[in-house]
Amino acid sequence: MLNPGTKLGPNEIIGALGAGGMGEVYRARDSRLDRTVAIKVLPSHLSADAERRQRLEREARAVSSLNHPHICTLYDIGQYDGTDYLVLEYLEGETLADRLGRGPLPTDQLLRIAIEITDALEKAHHQGVIHRDLKPGNIMLTKAGSKLLDFGLAKPALRQESTLQSSLPTAAKPLTAEGALVGTFHYMAPEQFEGKDADARSDLFALGSVLYEMATGKRAFEGKTTASVIAAVLERQPAPITSVQPMTPPALERVVMTCLEKDPEERYQSAHDLKLQLQWIAEAGSQAGVPAPVVARRKNRERVTWAIIGVLAVLSVLLAVGFILRAPKAQPLIRASISLPPQAMTPPLGFFSISPDGRRLVFVAAAAGGQPQLWVRPLDSLAAQPLAGTEQAMYPFWSPDSHYVGFFAEGKLKKIDPSGGPAQSLCNAPDGRGGAWGGDDVIAFAPGVFSGIFRVPAIGGTPVEVTSPANPGDSYRFPSFLPDGRHVLFLSQTGSGKKDLLQVVSLESKEVKTIAEISSNAVYDSSGYLLYQREGNLVAQRFDAGKFVLSGDAFPVIEHVPTDADRGNVLFSVSSQGILVYPGGENSSKAQLTWFDRDGKQLGTLGEPEDLGGPALSPDGKKVVASISGANGKFSLWMFDVTRGISSRFTFTDSSDFFSVWSPDGKQVAYSSNRAGRLELYVKPASGVESEQLLVTGEGESMPMDWSRDGRYLAYQTQSRTTKKFDLWILPITGDRKPFPFIGTDASEEAGTFSPDGRWFAYMSDESGRYEIYVVPFPGHGGKWQVSSSGGGFPSWVANGTELDYFTNDRKWMAVEVNGKGNDFSIGTSKTLFGGKPIPVFPQRGAFVTRDGKKLLTPVQGDTGSVPFTLVTNWGAAIKK
């Protein structure tokens, strides 16, 4: 035994996990990657045994060739100071053997585990690896699903010679043979005892024995001695499952008994065939009263007489009638409303997702006084529960097995088990724009606004770029996997007025193909349709997922589906069970400019509900510039007259214009436009009588933040197209007008703003791991002061410079007393405004504090309370109608 603290290479032993005939297993810490691992050790006294070392090497070769979410991952192999060892994925949970000690499993849980293990076997067999020791003790049950372990007896699909020893011991536990005959007797196939080759069908026999035990809590083949166990396997049939567990679906019993056929030719011929049957039973649920259509045998033999064939023909007719009468019925088309937690506010971006199994809905909401975070609502429950550690979450998405939720928060791609457990960071994603979880435990995601599509293992790691934007200013976002798990759909938003495209990329070859001119995200449904937005409606169109070709007409599914036009996100989610979810209100993504005082009292509105970007108020308070999305999904700037309450368009291009800032004299407006394929800075007279002028161009994406009160400097932020982080730059308005970097570190610095006297500069930075407000001198060097202490962003100075306002992560409006009259900067007391309530919008969507600090202007959705979701079952029936 190895003692805690023993080091095997970079791995330090923490404690023992177990031991067996194949070696000892320890829990350890990998010091290089700071992660917990499992170490399988072949002790030094066994290392001299050539057979033992060969088995360890065989396991390493077998597992290293397999990459599957339900097969334990091999990290490394090594030898240290005479000790051979494997470094494996550390799994928290219990073995199936331990679970069966408490009795049989419920049918739905049994089927889920069975499908996962069968899928793992399919992968292994496809790679030419036969497990040969499949048993409950080699299946681990974890929160992420089941995992197949211990390939120490695995072999390639070659001939095996074995002989049976004459001396057979007595044992009460599952009997494992060491020597020529390998495996655990209770789960070995008859042909293995007869000295024949073990192949994929031998593993299926063992799996049948495991399934029998899962269903009944009893082993299929029992005996007090090894000889009696072998005799049972060779000669006897186990008792019918339904005689032990009467509620077991007959179809499941038929599948198990087919696996346990003595003749390999009479079993399922591949793990894939078996998986199809198990999936059919799982989909049929309690209605799986009869077996699914049995797969074709590879070899047909004439064993019965014509008279018996006649009897079987009659029976087959009766069975067919029974199948028709008892087969699962098509689900009806049902529409229902799903309410959100009381007093919750949903963001206008459609952050929600229905699980693939159709049982749970995850969404982002903020309860009264709280931060936006993930909530999970089981569809068989009337209540939703918040998930701690998911604050500021965006774009949630599910793992294929519905056990995990991926999401973006705090500049990271993360995942969490909604049934319990902490959130885990997987990799950097500064400003995520959607993710998707593939069947091989690979996540495809867009880490930033102007990024390409990347892939990363679901356990975390270094992201790998799959494809990058073809042109400057293009943005790839909202990936979605196709059924093969190797191709990913994504939306290509293009600059310079070009058409947006729906494209597909291969994760392997990285080849990109354009499918159609589509300006929204798209999802392939298992019914063979592609769901996407057209002319404001959610439509479904036939799609060949192998040739990547649309065909036929596009049929409307939902009229006037809510969309986030700015990001190209049509707000819907669909499960593999045909359940469709979308926000209830027709105009839930539209908002109206609304005035509030410091106490949170609504003072009035401006304009009509629109797809709005952030507003900017002129220095005299008489006009407002805001970005509005048009019918083509592009944003233009509009000018609002505060006094008369009328509006008129201010910019006229086929590109998108936003992020406006007024000059201190109110005569000019600076803004960003992507007309050249990337965000560049322009300035235009507020009167609109003259054309705009280009101020700043470059490789990054530039957005104006503030104009100094003396009119000499324009502060703007740029986002690097490579690192995706933000830096703050200064553009002198006079002289050579040569921009210079002001604040740039390894962190992101954003939302810079000048103090009224121009001597100080406030901004937000995530250098501490979350965004906080900082102040530095301008333009020279000096100290730095942190203003916020519990997270904050989007600072603004009140006119006389004695107050600095900002917003907390939970949308609280804070006012801090400051003093910068001398050479030093001091920070006084702070207080919460708006009556202590959160402002009714997420600050990044535009929350403008007037210069006197007395009012707030922000876009607000028509209903500031919770907007229910609409759920549609069997949505495909809408097409048939």
Side-chain angles (χ1 to χ4, degrees):
M1 295 289 290
L2 299 179
N3 296 321
T6 303
K7 291 188 176 181
L8 300 179
N11 307 291
E12 181 177 349
I13 299 298
I14 298 175
L17 292 176
M22 289 300 297
E24 302 162 353
V25 182
Y26 297 87
R27 182 182 179 187
R29 169 67 62 179
D30 184 338
S31 60
R32 296 170 302 180
L33 300 176
D34 191 27
R35 66 180 174 188
T36 303
V37 296
I39 303 288
K40 186 170 186 178
V41 172
L42 189 61
S44 56
H45 72 279
L46 295 178
S47 296
D49 187 331
E51 173 63 19
R52 298 291 184 120
R53 296 190 64 179
Q54 185 180 29
R55 289 184 182 182
L56 193 72
E57 293 171 2
R58 181 191 299 126
E59 180 173 10
R61 288 194 300 270
V63 179
S64 66
S65 68
L66 305 175
N67 180 17
H68 192 276
H70 298 296
I71 295 178
C72 183
T73 303
L74 173 70
Y75 294 144
D76 198 4
I77 183 172
Q79 186 182 59
Y80 188 79
D81 204 17
T83 301
D84 294 278
Y85 65 90
L86 304 181
V87 184
L88 299 159
E89 174 185 10
Y90 175 71
L91 301 173
E92 293 187 7
E94 62 178 347
T95 66
L96 178 58
D98 291 337
R99 169 60 185 84
L100 289 174
R102 303 194 299 271
L105 276 67
T107 300
D108 58 343
Q109 187 178 353
L110 180 156
L111 288 169
R112 176 176 60 78
I113 296 171
I115 291 170
E116 292 171 350
I117 297 302
T118 308
D119 197 44
L121 283 178
E122 181 182 1
K123 175 71 173 183
H125 294 167
H126 183 72
Q127 295 292 113
V129 176
I130 310 302
H131 192 282
R132 295 201 301 173
D133 196 20
L134 186 62
K135 58 185 178 182
N138 284 339
I139 297 173
M140 180 69 77
L141 306 182
T142 74
K143 291 182 179 180
S146 53
K147 293 273 189 176
L148 185 56
L149 313 176
D150 201 344
F151 281 76
L153 300 183
K155 76 172 188 70
L158 299 174
R159 185 176 182 273
Q160 169 208 1
E161 295 182 359
S162 62
T163 58
L164 185 62
Q165 297 173 336
S166 59
S167 178
L168 301 176
T170 300
K173 293 184 177 181
L175 306 165
T176 301
E178 298 184 29
L181 189 66
V182 296
T184 303
F185 292 146
H186 298 80
Y187 306 96
M188 289 173 63
E191 60 268 21
Q192 291 176 274
F193 293 118
E194 296 170 351
K196 299 178 181 178
D197 288 348
D199 58 20
R201 297 169 298 180
S202 305
D203 278 351
L204 298 188
F205 183 94
L207 181 57
S209 299
V210 173
L211 295 180
Y212 185 95
E213 194 169 340
M214 292 166 69
T216 64
K218 303 178 182 297
R219 295 194 189 104
F221 305 103
E222 279 286 19
K224 295 183 178 180
T225 65
T226 301
S228 61
V229 172
I230 295 175
V233 173
L234 290 172
E235 301 171 3
R236 293 192 290 273
Q237 291 290 342
I241 294 177
T242 50
S243 69
V244 182
Q245 292 291 334
M247 297 305 294
T248 302
L252 176 59
E253 181 173 43
R254 174 59 185 270
V255 165
V256 174
M257 300 312 292
T258 301
C259 291
L260 295 177
E261 288 285 352
K262 309 298 184 186
D263 186 346
E265 296 293 338
E266 297 302 316
R267 299 175 204 149
Y268 295 104
Q269 299 299 297
S270 71
H272 180 74
D273 292 342
L274 174 57
K275 183 177 71 172
L276 292 179
Q277 304 307 303
L278 293 170
Q279 288 175 336
W280 180 87
I281 298 171
E283 292 170 1
S286 61
Q287 301 184 65
V290 296
V294 180
V295 295
R297 303 282 193 253
R298 290 185 179 178
K299 183 178 180 182
N300 294 318
R301 291 174 292 180
E302 297 180 0
R303 295 182 173 180
V304 296
T305 64
W306 286 105
I308 296 177
I309 291 176
V311 172
L312 291 178
V314 174
L315 292 176
S316 66
V317 171
L318 294 176
L319 286 173
V321 172
F323 178 81
I324 294 173
L325 293 177
R326 301 179 65 183
K329 298 179 180 178
Q331 294 295 318
L333 174 64
I334 297 175
R335 299 180 189 272
S337 179
I338 302 178
S339 60
L340 271 66
Q343 307 302 318
M345 187 191 78
T346 54
L349 298 179
F351 297 153
F352 63 94
S353 180
I354 184 74
S355 62
D357 61 13
R359 295 182 177 182
R360 292 185 286 184
L361 178 69
V362 63
F363 57 90
V364 176
Q371 298 188 52
Q373 64 183 132
L374 290 179
W375 295 65
V376 170
R377 160 76 182 272
L379 297 189
D380 61 357
S381 172
L382 296 177
Q385 298 296 327
L387 299 181
T390 63
E391 289 75 15
Q392 307 299 322
M394 300 170 60
Y395 298 115
F397 57 94
W398 290 86
S399 61
D401 59 9
S402 301
H403 290 167
Y404 278 88
V405 174
F407 63 98
F408 300 88
E410 300 175 324
K412 304 285 185 181
L413 172 63
K414 301 184 177 185
K415 71 176 182 180
I416 190 170
D417 181 350
S419 300
Q424 305 171 46
S425 294
L426 305 181
C427 64
N428 291 329
D431 195 5
R433 287 298 183 270
W437 199 315
D440 289 335
D441 248 11
V442 171
I443 294 176
F445 69 106
V449 177
F450 299 100
S451 70
I453 301 299
F454 287 69
R455 61 179 294 175
V456 69
I459 61 173
T462 302
V464 176
E465 189 173 48
V466 179
T467 181
S468 58
N471 303 296
D474 289 358
S475 175
Y476 290 176
R477 52 185 61 193
F478 304 128
S480 174
F481 273 96
L482 289 176
D484 63 7
R486 300 188 302 273
H487 290 86
V488 175
L489 298 170
F490 65 93
L491 171 65
S492 171
Q493 282 192 327
T494 57
S496 303
K498 298 177 183 178
K499 297 287 187 180
D500 293 340
L501 302 173
L502 178 66
Q503 297 185 303
V504 62
V505 62
S506 167
L507 295 184
E508 298 172 351
S509 69
K510 299 186 178 181
E511 179 184 1
V512 176
K513 181 178 180 179
T514 297
I515 295 173
E517 291 183 354
I518 293 175
S519 59
S520 79
N521 57 310
V523 174
Y524 177 80
D525 184 71
S526 58
S527 60
Y529 285 91
L530 195 68
L531 293 163
Y532 62 96
Q533 185 227 34
R534 176 184 288 180
E535 298 177 352
N537 302 319
L538 182 67
V539 299
Q541 188 173 359
R542 281 288 180 188
F543 181 69
D544 188 323
K547 299 179 179 179
F548 317 125
V549 175
L550 288 164
S551 62
D553 296 326
F555 297 93
V557 179
I558 304 171
E559 294 184 356
H560 309 301
V561 63
T563 60
D564 174 30
D566 180 18
R567 304 192 181 196
N569 186 23
V570 56
L571 309 186
F572 79 98
S573 178
V574 65
S575 78
S576 58
Q577 306 299 315
I579 298 176
L580 178 69
V581 177
Y582 62 96
E586 285 191 5
N587 297 319
S588 61
S589 66
K590 293 187 176 183
Q592 188 172 23
L593 291 174
T594 306
W595 293 99
F596 295 91
D597 66 13
R598 286 169 72 95
D599 295 326
K601 179 182 178 181
Q602 182 172 326
L603 302 177
T605 59
L606 185 63
E608 300 296 328
E610 302 281 0
D611 286 319
L612 284 168
L617 183 66
S618 64
D620 61 9
K622 294 181 179 180
K623 292 184 179 181
V624 171
V625 172
S627 54
I628 297 178
S629 174
N632 62 353
K634 307 296 183 181
F635 278 79
S636 57
L637 294 180
W638 285 68
M639 187 78 72
F640 294 82
D641 188 306
V642 175
T643 304
R644 295 188 293 167
I646 62 174
S647 61
S648 60
R649 188 169 176 176
F650 182 60
T651 59
F652 301 85
T653 66
D654 290 330
S655 58
S656 281
D657 306 323
F658 22 51
F659 303 117
S660 52
V661 170
W662 287 83
S663 64
D665 59 9
K667 295 181 178 181
Q668 299 182 90
V669 176
Y671 60 93
S672 292
S673 177
N674 66 355
R675 66 193 67 179
R678 58 181 172 271
L679 287 179
E680 298 176 320
L681 295 188
Y682 290 80
V683 65
K684 183 176 181 178
S687 63
V689 296
E690 299 178 27
S691 60
E692 64 273 4
Q693 295 180 0
L694 179 64
L695 285 178
V696 173
T697 186
E699 294 299 321
E701 310 293 333
S702 301
M703 294 144 273
M705 293 291 106
D706 193 24
W707 206 317
S708 64
R709 304 292 171 86
D710 59 10
R712 296 174 58 193
Y713 301 103
L714 181 69
Y716 66 97
Q717 65 188 42
T718 64
Q719 184 182 31
S720 167
R721 296 177 65 86
T722 54
T723 66
K724 312 305 178 187
K725 72 182 186 71
F726 291 91
D727 292 328
L728 289 167
W729 286 61
I730 303 297
L731 170 68
I733 298 301
T734 59
D736 61 5
R737 290 197 174 191
K738 184 177 181 180
F740 61 88
F742 182 51
I743 305 175
T745 68
D746 291 336
S748 277
E749 294 85 22
E750 303 177 54
T753 177
F754 298 99
S755 63
D757 61 8
R759 299 179 58 243
W760 306 99
F761 192 84
Y763 64 98
M764 56 189 282
S765 172
D766 64 354
E767 62 185 72
S768 67
R770 66 180 175 188
Y771 279 104
E772 300 282 5
I773 302 298
Y774 300 89
V775 171
V776 294
F778 180 83
H781 299 286
K784 182 170 72 172
W785 293 264
Q786 182 174 331
V787 178
S788 61
S789 59
S790 301
F794 309 97
S796 59
W797 299 86
V798 170
N800 58 9
T802 60
E803 179 179 301
L804 184 63
D805 292 4
Y806 68 91
F807 298 97
T808 64
N809 292 338
D810 54 357
R811 310 191 325 274
K812 299 291 182 61
W813 180 5
M814 304 297 296
V816 182
E817 293 180 357
V818 295
N819 188 343
K821 291 182 178 181
N823 294 326
D824 196 13
F825 187 84
S826 62
I827 302 170
T829 60
S830 64
K831 60 181 176 180
T832 305
L833 307 180
F834 216 73
K837 304 185 301 294
I839 64 171
V841 73
F842 292 86
Q844 58 265 38
R845 300 291 283 182
F848 188 92
V849 178
T850 58
R851 286 192 174 184
D852 60 7
K854 294 182 179 180
K855 291 192 296 184
L856 177 77
L857 179 64
T858 187
V860 175
Q861 291 176 264
D863 180 3
T864 59
S866 61
V867 177
F869 291 103
T870 297
L871 179 145
V872 182
T873 64
N874 190 23
W875 67 265
I879 297 178
K880 298 176 182 179
K881 285 187 176 182

